[in-house]
Amino acid sequence: MTAKRTVQVMYASEPGSPDLDNEDFLFAGPRLAVVLDGVTPMVRTDTGCRHGVAWYAQTLGGHFVRLAGRDDGPGDGQGAESLADCLAEAIVATRDLHAGTCDLAHPDSPAATVAAARLRGDGLDVLDYLVLADSVVLLDLGDEDPVVLTDHRAGDVGRRLRAQGETPSAPRVRSHRNRPGGYWVAADRPEPAYEALTGTIDATGLRRLSVATDGATRLVDTFGTSDWRGMLDALVADGPDAWVARTREAERADAAAEPARRRERGKVHDDASVILGVVSAG
Ligand SMILES: [Zn+2]
C-alpha cells in the first residue's frame, strides 16, 4: 500500500510596478498549480479590448482552473480531461465573454502564456504538465538537476530574425504570433492550446515542484546568479516572497549598472509569480 503523500504549497505574485495591474494570474492548490502571464501590448491602450490584459489573464485562468481542477472522483485519476483540452475550452469560454464587445482580430488583442502542473491519483503519483510560451515548470524528481519545462519559441523568433540581419522589433516578432513556424500563446482561438508542450510523467519520485512566470525566473535565465536547482533550494529555504524580493534587487542593481543593457531588456521589473510545492509522505 502506498503511503499517503501530501503537498505543502507556497506562492508569491507581485506586479512589476505598484502603479500597474498585476497581469499575471496564479492559482496554487495541493493538486494543481497554474500561472498565466498576460502579454504586454505594444501600446497599452490599443488592444481592441475594453477589458484589458489583466482581465484576460484572470478570466482565462479562472476558466482553466475550473476545468483542470474538476474532481474526477476517487481512483487513479484516469478520467481527468487533458490540460490541452481544458485550455482550449477555457480560451473559447473567455473569447465568448467579449467577442461581442471587443475586436479580437486586433493584432495586439489580449494574450497570455500558461504553465501548469497537475497531480492525479489517490497517491498523487501521476503528474500532467502544460507549458505555452516562456513560463516554466520545474520538477525535482530526486536527480542531480531538476527537469526544466519551458517553451523558447518566442525567443527563437527573435534570434532567427537577428541571424537574418533583421532587428527583432516588437511588431516583427509579434507577426509570428500563433502562426506555424512562429510561437504560440493563448489568445482568442483554441488551436494554440494544442501547440503547448504537454506530457504526463510518473510522479512517484517527485520531491519539489515550481511553476513560475518569466518575471520570477530572471535570476536564472537573465542575470545568471542562480541555476534551477538553486532556485528550488532558495524557494524552500527562504520562501517565494524572498525569491521575488531578491529578483527585484537584482533588477535594480542591473538597471543602475547597465542602463544600455537594461534598455535592450525592456522593462526593469516584470510581474513575477512563483509557486513552490514540497511533496512529503504523510
Ligand atoms: Zn475584451
Side-chain angles (χ1 to χ4, degrees), residues 84-175:
D85 282 344
C86 294
L87 180 58
E89 220 177 296
I91 289 170
V92 170
T94 305
R95 178 192 68 195
D96 289 350
L97 284 175
H98 70 152
T101 55
C102 305
D103 172 16
L104 304 188
H106 191 289
D108 239 348
S109 179
T113 79
V114 184
R118 176 175 68 182
L119 285 162
R120 283 194 280 125
D122 285 345
L124 304 177
D125 43 12
V126 177
L127 181 139
D128 303 313
Y129 64 84
L130 177 146
V131 181
L132 185 62
D134 54 10
S135 293
V136 65
V137 173
L138 279 182
L139 304 173
D140 176 1
L141 296 167
D143 302 320
E144 180 86 4
D145 293 312
V147 175
V148 184
L149 302 161
T150 187
D151 170 5
H152 295 292
R153 283 170 291 185
D156 290 345
V157 167
R159 276 185 284 279
R160 212 160 53 230
L161 290 172
R162 211 173 275 124
Q164 291 162 4
E166 258 193 80
T167 308
S169 64
R172 278 295 287 145
V173 173
R174 197 194 55 194
S175 69

